[in-house]
Amino acid sequence: MGYAQSMTLDFNTSSSYSNWLHGNSRGGTTRWGFGGVVRNSHAVSKVIGRDYVGGISGWVSLVEESNFNGDVDGEDYVGGLIGYTSSVLESYSTGSVSGSSGYIGGLAGWSVKIKTSNSTSIVKGKRYVGGLAGKCDSVFSSFYKSFSSVIGDGYVGGLVGEGRYIYDSYSNANVSGSAPYIGGLAGKTKQVLSSHSRGNVYGVDSVGGLAGVVNYQEWGLINNSYHIGNVQGRNCVGGLACRVYGNVDSSFTKQGFVCVHHSCVTGSCAIFS
């Protein structure tokens, strides 16, 4: 329940229902963890903080084989498990996550890697909002499954608000946003491989069934992936993506397509090579 610095925390026990109120770096089991590891841990609680807020911890290097059930509320870097981390492995969260500002996710506010993990938490934020993470470089074999929605302003996705690689992962969430970069899997990403989304996507600008935009200042790729659901927006809307700066291979979309502005893309996506 305190601090973790360059050590492994293996609680193997549930925390009691509790409230952490007012301040930075709040967590249900530990608060800060510089270089620390949280493994085989779980918490059932309500966690309230400001920045770097998580159901398990506010900030550690690694979360593995851990889970959280409850509500997490903060401003920046807010996650169902962890506010800020390098990796989330074989872990999950349930409940709700909300943030009044940016980097809000069902598992992590910000993470480098998420692998073999999932979330069913309701997620709401402002910018960089995702079913798994607000921002995450790589997502592998993970999923977000909720009968609710992922809701934000800009950079909103069923898995991540912004990322680089999404592989063998899926989301069935409805996703909605009021600013650019809204996608069924990611608001903005570089590659989507062997992944899919099954949910409705609603936005205004740069809206796609899989991603708002696929590029990341490099060559983008959608391969062996698909979206099933409705996609609706005003400016630059596509069944797979608004724009793909690269290639689309072996992928498809089955959706009800609604475009209410002359600059919308009327196909699966716009490809720029």
Side-chain angles (χ1 to χ4, degrees):
M1 301 289 184
Y3 298 85
Q5 184 166 352
S6 298
M7 64 180 294
T8 298
L9 301 177
D10 192 338
F11 294 96
N12 196 25
T13 182
S14 296
S15 68
S16 60
Y17 185 89
S18 60
N19 295 277
W20 293 82
L21 297 171
H22 308 299
N24 291 335
S25 192
R26 300 296 179 180
T29 54
T30 181
R31 295 165 70 182
W32 287 85
F34 303 104
V37 175
V38 172
R39 180 177 289 117
N40 192 28
S41 304
H42 55 280
V44 180
S45 62
K46 181 177 178 66
V47 181
I48 302 173
R50 189 166 59 242
D51 301 332
Y52 302 99
V53 185
I56 294 288
S57 178
W59 186 345
V60 294
S61 293
L62 170 66
V63 178
E64 185 174 16
E65 296 179 347
S66 299
N67 64 82
F68 174 79
N69 181 9
D71 303 321
V72 183
D73 187 17
E75 294 183 12
D76 282 300
Y77 296 97
V78 183
L81 291 176
I82 181 77
Y84 189 99
T85 187
S86 293
S87 299
V88 177
L89 308 177
E90 299 181 18
S91 300
Y92 68 89
S93 70
T94 62
S96 68
V97 180
S98 62
S100 60
S101 192
Y103 303 101
I104 316 298
L107 293 176
W110 191 98
S111 180
V112 175
K113 178 174 70 176
I114 295 176
K115 185 175 181 180
T116 325
S117 300
N118 69 86
S119 175
T120 60
S121 296
I122 300 168
V123 183
K124 297 180 180 180
K126 192 171 180 67
R127 63 185 186 281
Y128 298 100
V129 183
L132 297 183
K135 188 169 184 178
C136 180
D137 275 2
S138 303
V139 177
F140 302 98
S141 304
S142 299
F143 66 87
Y144 176 76
K145 190 172 184 179
S146 175
F147 293 104
S148 185
S149 301
V150 178
I151 301 172
D153 288 347
Y155 287 92
V156 184
L159 294 180
V160 297
E162 184 178 25
R164 293 178 66 84
Y165 304 99
I166 298 173
Y167 175 74
D168 188 32
S169 300
Y170 74 88
S171 170
N172 74 342
N174 293 326
V175 180
S176 64
S178 57
Y181 308 121
I182 312 298
L185 295 181
K188 188 175 182 181
T189 189
K190 179 186 175 183
Q191 293 187 359
V192 179
L193 308 175
S194 301
S195 299
H196 69 271
S197 65
R198 289 176 174 263
N200 300 320
V201 183
Y202 305 100
V204 177
D205 188 2
S206 301
V207 185
L210 293 180
V213 171
V214 177
N215 74 325
Y216 224 98
Q217 299 176 349
E218 302 171 59
W219 195 257
L221 174 65
I222 297 177
N223 181 262
N224 192 34
S225 300
Y226 67 88
H227 169 257
I228 296 177
N230 295 322
V231 182
Q232 180 174 336
R234 290 184 59 85
N235 300 311
C236 193
V237 185
L240 292 178
C242 156
R243 293 186 179 92
V244 177
Y245 294 85
N247 293 339
V248 177
D249 300 320
S250 303
S251 300
F252 69 89
T253 177
K254 292 183 179 180
Q255 88 288 346
F257 188 87
V258 179
C259 180
V260 292
H261 194 278
H262 69 276
S263 64
C264 286
V265 179
T266 56
S268 294
C269 58
I271 303 175
F272 297 85
S273 59

